[in-house]
């Protein structure tokens, strides 16, 4: 019984509660598989062993390319305000829950990147008029970058170097060099790796 503790939640007791929890988890898994199938059918280019969980929303699917061994968790938004924006996700990328990826100016995520839950990436700007036409700004995220929980990457960032770490809750407003650890609002270099 100990190996099922992660499924057990003390609100439902006994065998009926246990069976109900197992059925709910099984239903969620089946819905994840069905969702992955339909999302994969819509995207222009998708690699092998890609897992896309429930609640994902996306815009301009013909502009989204996903590599091999990618995991996209629940409630991820991939949007663009410019129809020509491109999103390219390389191999072995993990995108956590509730991430918001704007690819209006072009977003390129290289191999081995980890986006923790709630990360917001913006690649467009409206200047001082929120009703003006969006201006796209390209963002390149280097290899093996880790962006911490609820960090915000602003449009002027331009690039995040290989092996960089962005601390949780940071607001990145300028380019980040490779092999650095940054944090704060606005993000500053804490130390080099």
């Amino acid at each position: 019984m100990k190996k099922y503790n992660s499924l057990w939640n003390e609100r439902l007791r006994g065998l009926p509660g246990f069976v109900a929890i197992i059925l709910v988890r099984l239903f969620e898994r089946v819905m994840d598989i069905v969702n992955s199938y339909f999302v994969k059918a819509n995207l222009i280019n998708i690699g092998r062993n890609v897992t896309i969980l429930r609640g994902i929303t996306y815009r301009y699917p013909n502009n989204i390319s996903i590599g091999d061994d990618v995991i996209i968790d629940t409630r991820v938004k991939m949007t663009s305000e410019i129809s020509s924006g491109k999103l390219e996700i390389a191999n072995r990328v993990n995108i956590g829950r509730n991430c918001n990826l704007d690819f209006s100016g072009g977003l390129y995520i290289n191999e081995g990147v980890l986006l923790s839950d709630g990360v917001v990436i913006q690649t467009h700007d409206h200047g001082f008029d929120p009703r003006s036409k969006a201006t796209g700004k390209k963002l390149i995220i280097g290899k093996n970058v880790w962006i911490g929980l609820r960090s915000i990457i602003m449009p002027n960032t331009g690039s995040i170097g290989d092996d960089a770490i962005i601390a949780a809750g940071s607001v990145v407003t300028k380019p980040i060099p490779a092999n650095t650890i940054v944090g704060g609002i606005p993000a500053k270099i804490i130390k080099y790796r």
Side-chain angles (χ1 to χ4, degrees):
M1 197 69 163
K2 265 189 171 182
K3 70 180 186 177
Y4 298 109
N5 281 347
S6 65
L7 300 173
W8 195 254
N9 69 6
E10 295 303 320
R11 288 185 293 164
L12 299 172
R13 298 191 184 269
L15 186 59
F18 180 74
V19 171
I21 291 169
I22 295 294
L23 290 175
V24 166
R25 297 286 191 242
L26 182 62
F27 178 75
E28 288 174 350
R29 183 66 185 131
V30 168
M31 291 309 296
D32 285 340
I33 293 168
V34 169
N35 182 69
S36 280
Y37 174 78
F38 284 112
V39 171
K40 288 175 186 179
N42 284 328
L43 299 180
I44 190 78
N45 186 17
I46 194 156
R48 296 181 318 260
N49 299 325
V50 174
T51 303
I52 301 173
L53 301 182
R54 296 177 317 279
I56 185 174
T57 57
Y58 53 90
R59 197 166 179 197
Y60 304 116
N62 289 337
N63 297 350
I64 299 173
S65 174
I66 299 176
D68 299 333
D69 303 313
V70 172
I71 298 173
I72 300 175
D73 213 327
T74 57
R75 295 180 302 279
V76 171
K77 294 180 184 177
M78 297 183 286
T79 61
S80 177
E81 288 195 22
I82 301 171
S83 61
S84 62
K86 301 257 186 242
L87 173 60
E88 292 184 20
I89 300 173
N91 301 335
R92 299 181 300 104
V93 171
N94 288 345
I95 300 174
R97 292 179 301 234
N98 300 313
C99 287
N100 188 347
L101 310 178
D102 166 58
F103 58 93
S104 300
L107 176 58
Y108 304 92
I109 302 174
N110 282 300
E111 287 188 24
V113 170
L114 172 61
L115 302 181
S116 298
D117 295 349
V119 169
V120 175
I121 297 176
Q122 290 294 315
T123 63
H124 77 277
D125 195 2
H126 289 279
F128 293 108
D129 183 4
R131 291 176 190 87
S132 67
K133 187 175 180 178
T135 305
K137 299 181 178 188
K138 184 164 72 169
L139 174 63
I140 299 171
I141 299 176
K143 293 180 180 178
N144 302 314
V145 170
W146 177 15
I147 301 178
L149 182 74
R150 295 194 176 135
S151 293
I152 300 172
I153 312 300
M154 298 300 288
N156 289 331
T157 302
S159 66
I160 299 174
D162 294 347
D163 300 305
I165 297 175
I166 314 280
S170 298
V171 177
V172 179
T173 58
K174 59 185 180 182
I176 302 298
N179 298 306
T180 57
I181 299 173
V182 301
I185 303 174
K188 294 183 177 15
I189 295 175
I190 297 171
K191 68 183 213 177
Y192 291 88
R193 291 179 75 188

